[in-house]
Amino acid sequence: MTQRAMFPPNGSLPTADDREGAGFTAMVLGLMSVFFMVSLVGILLAIPTSLGAVGCGAVGVRRAKRGEASNGRIALIGLILGSAVTFTLVGGMVWLDHSLSQAYP
């Protein structure tokens, strides 16, 4: 297996040896979690998709750092989106729990 840079220059095409599935999955799950968080109907679906984006993003970034994949940026964006949605939802739930416990003692 050839070693590739985590952030390849523009125009470099992926080869058949690259393992880029985790990075693309992280990006898709991160975007889906942002969409679910914004829509009130899918807010319960935002938690598992954001956790999946964090997990796949961590795997994708690790593969890109080892040189096994060339989509390190995409994996990093998925990781950041997933963690932002996770922290936002957890913070919102903590705030809601605290507010409701103060309003109804």
Side-chain angles (χ1 to χ4, degrees):
M1 189 175 323
T2 61
Q3 292 287 344
R4 295 181 61 104
M6 181 174 172
F7 301 112
N10 291 336
S12 80
L13 297 174
T15 63
D17 296 336
D18 288 341
R19 299 173 59 194
E20 299 181 347
F24 287 118
T25 304
M27 181 68 167
V28 169
L29 287 176
L31 290 173
M32 285 175 54
S33 66
V34 169
F35 172 74
F36 288 147
M37 185 183 70
V38 172
S39 69
L40 295 177
V41 176
I43 201 155
L44 292 176
L45 295 174
I47 295 169
T49 54
S50 65
L51 292 175
V54 169
C56 290
V59 170
V61 167
R62 193 176 320 123
R63 284 182 183 172
K65 283 187 179 180
R66 285 191 307 229
E68 297 175 4
S70 62
N71 62 347
R73 288 183 186 140
I74 292 174
L76 188 62
I77 290 171
L79 177 67
I80 290 170
L81 284 175
S83 56
V85 169
T86 301
F87 288 133
T88 302
L89 289 177
V90 169
M93 285 190 276
V94 168
W95 173 79
L96 183 65
D97 180 52
H98 177 71
S99 298
L100 289 176
S101 68
Q102 295 296 321
Y104 302 105

